Amino acid sequence: QVQLVESGGGVVQPGGSLRLSCATSGFTFSTYGMQWVRQAPGKGLEWVALIRHDVTTKYYADSVKGRFTVSRDNSKNTLYLQMNSLRTEDTAVYYCAKDGPYWGDFSWGQGTMVTVSS
Amino acid sequence: DIVMTQSPLSLPVTPGEPASISCRSSQSLLSSNGNNYLDWYVQKPGQSPQLLISLGSTRASGVPDRFSGSGSGTDFTLKITRVEAEDVGVYYCMQALQTPLTFGGGTKVEIK
């Protein structure tokens, strides 16, 4: 079955960088779009970024545009999120999600916690 | 951006009784292909979100038939015919028509 395992979270100072990974299995990774969604402590869900199966098409939330970069390695079945210039408001659990036949119908990972604090 | 508005914010329910959650979008989610790009997710305590309903009314694999989704355009409803204790959690609607994808604020379902 579909498995998504995020890693790379941790504590980082404001202005710092972090790279999240999402290792996948159970489906043909190269044929599906992938997403990042985050959830600040005690808050709701916020979409962060998506990358289509073709690798080149990417979209970002305004709140992270210019600071975060989504990428994927279809040979390694892995999704990435490079996060630069981190702010305290980026503190959240970051989930990776697999698209269905459209930009939705998500299958979710278990999430990885990112804490931005001095 | 499409704004998603859910109500109520909190929904105390008695086991065995029905429950209903409303989700409204600021723009129509009905595409020219006839699909409504509206998903429902539930996040149970301490867990990741999980898909309940896709395209407004299609139950995901393994979801009990007491859950149903309906609506079109800008007005959608998630119904639980008979709430069970395991249904507690926060329910979110999400529009998948255009970026940025946007979620409703969530409805917390709890047992009375």
Side-chain angles (χ1 to χ4, degrees), chain B residues 18-61:
Chain B
S20 179
I21 300 171
S22 171
C23 176
R24 290 186 173 177
S25 58
S26 60
Q27 300 175 36
S28 176
L29 304 183
L30 179 62
S31 176
S32 57
N33 63 10
N35 288 331
N36 282 285
Y37 286 93
L38 186 284
D39 293 346
W40 288 98
Y41 297 91
V42 61
Q43 187 173 31
K44 298 182 179 182
Q47 297 185 17
S48 306
Q50 58 191 84
L51 178 69
L52 282 175
I53 303 285
S54 63
L55 297 177
S57 60
T58 302
R59 259 193 316 275
S61 176

Side-chain angles (χ1 to χ4, degrees), chain A residues 21-74:
Chain A
S21 299
C22 173
T24 75
S25 61
F27 64 103
T28 305
F29 181 74
S30 61
T31 62
Y32 285 92
M34 297 293 296
Q35 314 253 0
W36 288 100
V37 176
R38 68 184 180 183
Q39 186 172 36
K43 301 297 184 182
L45 300 169
E46 179 189 15
W47 175 77
V48 173
L50 78 82
I51 182 168
R52 291 185 58 177
H53 68 282
D54 62 9
V55 179
T56 57
T57 305
K58 307 174 186 182
Y59 298 95
Y60 298 93
D62 285 346
S63 57
V64 307
K65 201 173 296 183
R67 301 186 299 122
F68 290 12
T69 302
V70 61
S71 62
R72 62 191 294 162
D73 186 335
N74 286 345

